[in-house]
Amino acid sequence: MFAPHGRGRAAGIAAGWLADLLFGDPRRGHPVALFGRGAAAFERLSYADTRPAGAVHTAALLGALGAAGVAIERVAGRVGAPATFVSLAAATFVALGGTSLTRAGNQMAAHLAAGDVDAARALLPSLCGRDPSVLDADGLARAALESVAENTSDAQVAPILWGAIGGVPAILVYRGANTLDAMIGHRTPRYNRFGWAAARFDDAANFIAARATAVMVMVCAPVVGGSPLGAWRAWRSDAARHPSPNAGVVEAAFAGALGVRLGGPTQYAHELEIRPTLGDGPPPRIADLSRAVRLSRAVQIATALLAVLLSGVGRSGRRASPPS
């Protein structure tokens, strides 16, 4: 019988990735949005301004996703190979956001190139949580580029890697953790303690993926006329100064590869952060944002192909022992 490993897992991941490449995120009824509404409803019952309450909230929601993933794989395994393939492909498709990310990045670049700052400001919340009202064209380009860089890891590389490692349960738990971090993992008066567990779990879940993304940025940099050595230098010299252990790695790699400088004052709805600078080039312009989107897409494609290849090769290299 088909098992959700090796070539079967590779085929499911490949199908999910191709579906995201062709269709992007569903406009209505996205399962991630449904999970978010459920998490918000549960928060009304579970909230308390303490870390333990946040840990229980996070563990309950992610535990439910993990259990659902295990149940899906078991039922699909009993039904047969087609059901197992479809379940993994569907989970991968739901978790990925690479196509929507590149579409939004390209739309932002087009708005800025046309001088339509109002449209660019209206689009920014679909990329990140910064306050667009205080940003001019250059600030919008920098915010969008940093978001494209970070989300290349969060929305594409990490889900693919977790799918290759742990199948449907791992994909669902990862995507849930990423969603919870976006909802409550902020340093605001309400979530500074309650959201601590969600933020730390998301950091752990993205640790390897962020560094894998940085490596792929180095590999793919020549596709956009970028510098692999520049990506490496910025990663090694600047990433550790960023407040996020993962976003700093990816943003620094993008900055070095593209020859620009990221970071600096960053206005969110709840506070102004003075971020360290990443890279030693000039501030990014519109053309740099377009290059970042192309680099993101190259990293997404290369990572998907590598994960599929390694999943298939890993299984084909293991042979079942003959019966005694």
Side-chain angles (χ1 to χ4, degrees), residues 209-297:
R211 283 141 189 88
T213 303
V215 170
M216 297 307 293
V217 167
M218 294 169 54
V219 172
C220 297
V223 173
V224 296
S227 169
L229 182 58
W232 168 254
R233 287 174 173 170
W235 174 10
R236 302 311 301 169
S237 64
D238 299 337
R241 297 187 289 116
H242 194 281
S244 168
N246 299 320
V249 170
V250 183
E251 290 179 20
F254 265 79
L258 299 172
V260 299
R261 183 176 71 251
L262 301 177
T266 304
Q267 180 66 57
Y268 291 93
H270 55 278
E271 66 177 341
L272 173 66
E273 292 185 8
I274 306 301
R275 296 280 181 86
T277 56
L278 308 172
D280 56 7
R285 303 293 184 181
I286 299 169
D288 297 313
L289 174 57
S290 296
R291 292 173 65 216
V293 173
R294 296 199 305 273
L295 178 57
S296 174
R297 178 55 86 187

Side-chain angles (χ1 to χ4, degrees), residues 179-227:
T179 303
L180 283 180
D181 181 61
M183 294 178 67
I184 65 174
H186 309 295
R187 294 182 179 178
T188 62
R190 177 175 175 84
Y191 293 128
N192 190 44
R193 285 180 284 270
F194 184 74
W196 178 86
R200 298 291 78 77
F201 189 94
D202 184 71
D203 286 343
N206 281 291
F207 187 86
I208 294 175
R211 283 141 189 88
T213 303
V215 170
M216 297 307 293
V217 167
M218 294 169 54
V219 172
C220 297
V223 173
V224 296
S227 169

Side-chain angles (χ1 to χ4, degrees), residues 99-185:
T99 294
S100 295
L101 174 66
T102 54
R103 285 176 181 170
N106 282 327
Q107 289 173 359
M108 177 66 75
H111 290 325
L112 294 175
D116 194 345
V117 174
D118 289 338
R121 286 173 175 160
L123 179 63
L124 188 65
S126 67
L127 283 166
C128 62
R130 301 183 194 182
D131 182 0
S133 66
V134 301
L135 298 177
D136 58 11
D138 289 343
L140 289 164
R142 186 201 119 197
L145 198 159
E146 291 174 354
S147 180
V148 166
E150 180 179 2
N151 284 292
T152 299
S153 177
D154 290 359
Q156 189 78 11
V157 175
I160 287 175
L161 291 182
W162 279 114
I165 293 169
V168 174
I171 292 176
L172 296 184
V173 170
Y174 171 77
R175 195 66 179 92
N178 195 244
T179 303
L180 283 180
D181 181 61
M183 294 178 67
I184 65 174

Side-chain angles (χ1 to χ4, degrees), residues 13-105:
I13 292 171
W17 169 65
L18 286 172
D20 176 69
L21 187 66
L22 292 173
F23 305 114
D25 289 333
R27 294 184 180 273
R28 295 182 180 180
H30 197 298
V32 173
L34 296 177
F35 171 77
R37 287 196 286 271
F42 182 53
E43 183 183 328
R44 291 193 286 271
L45 301 174
S46 64
Y47 180 81
D49 190 17
T50 65
R51 286 186 177 183
V56 170
H57 176 84
T58 300
L61 289 168
L62 298 186
L65 285 177
V70 171
I72 289 170
E73 281 199 343
R74 286 180 177 175
V75 171
R78 287 196 291 267
V79 171
T84 305
F85 166 79
V86 169
S87 65
L88 183 54
T92 303
F93 172 59
V94 165
L96 295 182
T99 294
S100 295
L101 174 66
T102 54
R103 285 176 181 170

